[in-house]
Amino acid sequence: MARSKKPAAPEPPVWVSLPHELYAATCAELVTFSHKTVNSNAPAGGIRLAPEQGLKLPYVSARTLLGAGEALALDYPANAGKTATAVKQLNQLREGSATAPADEAERILATLTEATAQGTQIGTDKVSLRARQLLLPKEGGYVAVTPLTAGGLNRKLRARVRQHNDHLKETPDDSRRRIPFAVFGLGGSNPQNVGSLVRDMQRPLVFFAPPENRQVKAILALHFQGVRIRLPRPLLRAFRDWCADCRRRHGGLIPTNMATRDEEIVHIRRIARVVLAQGEAARQRLLAHLDVLPAGGSPLVAAEAAPLNRGLVDPELRDKDWPRTFALHLAGLIADHRFGDGQEEFQFEQADIHELQAMIEEVAR
């Protein structure tokens, strides 16, 4: 039985001697984010983060890696002459894989450290027409943002994922999964024009979306939007038939005597109570799923929801004007409702709508 051979160790990179002046000029213009990652034909430029711009936050980004003490590989804003070779060897020195003579390596690293001790911006005085822009809301207006890729971050991620996948290949573990890469055609026929880290940017990670949980989705919708009123059509139809019968028996008008008014109040109260019960049912659903709500369901309905919808779900969120607001809204919904069955629709005067509002408000208080 033939035994599989272990792959040979990669050959160490060949060191190319370059003038120190080239390294000094190249280091001064190294960037964390390059304009070329958006469009390889964009004018040269980019941004280099300063060490003090690191952030200590629980997610992965160029700034959080800086905050964690990680050194990101930097890139050139434009490829010209021997720039690509110089940057490639600079990153090899940083990563400890270069085969440069010790004294030359020490001198180059000192130049690199001194040049990149501060952040810088190159070619950012105006935005290229080739750069994509997003408009993000801010303080009542919008700010235009051009997303840029940090090639050094891509290199870190790719190295960690390859390490993870190689470990699983050697030591299978059913509790952990291999992380797949995709292929992203970046840079056209000459990727080097984008940057020296372009090959790391060409291998994005693949994530599969979790399956939809309709129950959780509905619970979160209730939390962020409150409950929306659904008119009980059977009760509305019964009210319409009662109105039509009153008009037919009294010459086209609804009598204003106490008996007729009491019958009308019964219909309206039934409708209002069913709508209020919808809010109570939503409240019970939210209380039963506090574990999936932000901040443990406090408040039960998010502040972004409409005040009417919030109060319908949670009575504690109702102010003194809520019953009147609710009554006015529900009366309008009843008056505007259309059955679409070819029969007579509601025909209310403004005074009739005010009467409905008063009846509903009595139930809501």
Side-chain angles (χ1 to χ4, degrees):
M1 181 177 178
R3 294 183 178 180
S4 60
K5 296 182 179 180
K6 289 186 178 181
E11 294 289 334
V14 178
W15 181 260
V16 179
S17 294
L18 298 172
H20 189 77
E21 293 75 13
L22 173 62
Y23 282 115
T26 301
C27 289
E29 292 195 341
L30 289 176
V31 293
T32 312
F33 305 94
S34 170
H35 294 173
K36 297 285 187 179
T37 59
V38 175
N39 189 316
S40 60
N41 293 318
I47 298 171
R48 182 173 69 237
L49 295 176
E52 62 269 16
Q53 290 181 281
L55 294 176
K56 293 188 179 298
L57 293 174
Y59 59 84
V60 178
S61 71
R63 294 183 68 185
T64 56
L65 286 181
L66 281 179
E70 296 277 351
L72 291 178
L74 300 175
D75 214 340
Y76 49 77
N79 186 15
K82 294 290 186 179
T83 300
T85 303
V87 172
K88 179 181 178 181
Q89 296 189 158
L90 283 168
N91 284 325
Q92 288 173 357
L93 286 171
R94 264 190 165 185
E95 296 164 0
S97 61
T99 56
D103 56 343
E104 185 178 357
E106 185 178 351
R107 186 183 179 197
I108 294 172
L109 282 175
T111 301
L112 175 63
T113 301
E114 182 181 357
T116 58
Q118 295 181 342
T120 189
Q121 297 186 25
I122 301 171
T124 57
D125 53 323
K126 60 182 179 180
V127 179
S128 169
L129 294 177
R130 299 180 184 275
R132 299 173 181 86
Q133 289 187 287
L134 303 176
L135 294 178
L136 303 180
K138 181 181 180 182
E139 298 176 358
Y142 291 87
V143 59
V145 175
T146 298
L148 299 177
T149 300
L153 173 60
N154 289 96
R155 172 164 288 190
K156 287 280 186 184
L157 286 174
R158 188 182 181 194
R160 292 295 181 90
V161 171
R162 291 178 67 177
Q163 181 182 10
H164 168 85
N165 290 342
D166 290 344
H167 178 74
L168 287 182
K169 187 184 296 185
E170 297 174 1
T171 310
D173 184 350
D174 293 338
S175 65
R176 304 173 71 188
R177 294 186 178 183
R178 180 181 178 277
I179 302 174
F181 283 113
V183 178
F184 181 42
L186 183 67
S189 59
N190 191 6
Q192 285 290 107
N193 287 336
V194 174
S196 65
L197 306 172
V198 64
R199 286 173 179 77
D200 296 291
M201 291 185 274
Q202 289 177 334
R203 296 294 183 269
L205 303 180
V206 178
F207 297 95
F208 297 98
E212 180 183 32
N213 187 321
R214 292 176 179 258
Q215 183 179 19
V216 172
K217 182 178 179 180
I219 293 298
L220 292 176
L222 283 177
H223 172 74
F224 286 106
Q225 301 173 11
V227 68
R228 296 183 179 180
I229 293 175
R230 301 186 308 276
L231 293 177
R233 285 179 64 88
L235 295 183
L236 283 177
R237 190 175 288 110
F239 180 46
R240 179 190 63 174
D241 294 343
W242 177 84
C243 291
D245 182 62
C246 282
R247 291 192 180 98
R248 185 169 54 254
R249 289 186 290 106
H250 299 91
L253 299 174
I254 296 179
T256 57
N257 56 62
M258 290 298 296
T260 304
R261 180 175 174 79
D262 288 343
E263 292 178 6
E264 184 178 19
I265 289 175
V266 169
H267 282 284
I268 297 304
R269 284 181 175 176
R270 285 174 179 169
I271 295 171
R273 285 174 181 145
V274 167
V275 172
L276 290 170
Q278 292 172 8
E280 176 59 23
R283 190 176 80 89
Q284 293 301 326
R285 288 188 68 189
L286 290 172
L287 290 174
H289 296 86
L290 293 177
D291 56 316
V292 302
L293 298 181
S298 180
L300 199 58
V301 185
E304 294 84 358
L308 177 65
N309 295 350
R310 295 185 81 210
L312 185 56
V313 174
D314 190 351
E316 294 183 3
L317 300 176
R318 299 174 186 175
D319 58 22
K320 60 182 180 61
D321 295 324
W322 188 88
R324 179 166 299 175
T325 303
F326 169 74
L328 179 62
H329 183 70
L330 182 56
L333 290 178
I334 295 172
D336 294 337
H337 185 75
R338 295 294 178 265
F339 293 90
D341 56 5
Q343 299 184 34
E344 182 181 354
E345 303 286 0
F346 286 129
Q347 300 176 11
F348 291 115
E349 301 290 341
Q350 189 60 45
D352 299 327
I353 298 175
H354 285 312
E355 289 291 332
L356 295 180
Q357 177 186 345
M359 298 175 191
I360 295 169
E361 190 173 344
E362 290 179 6
V363 178
R365 289 195 179 277

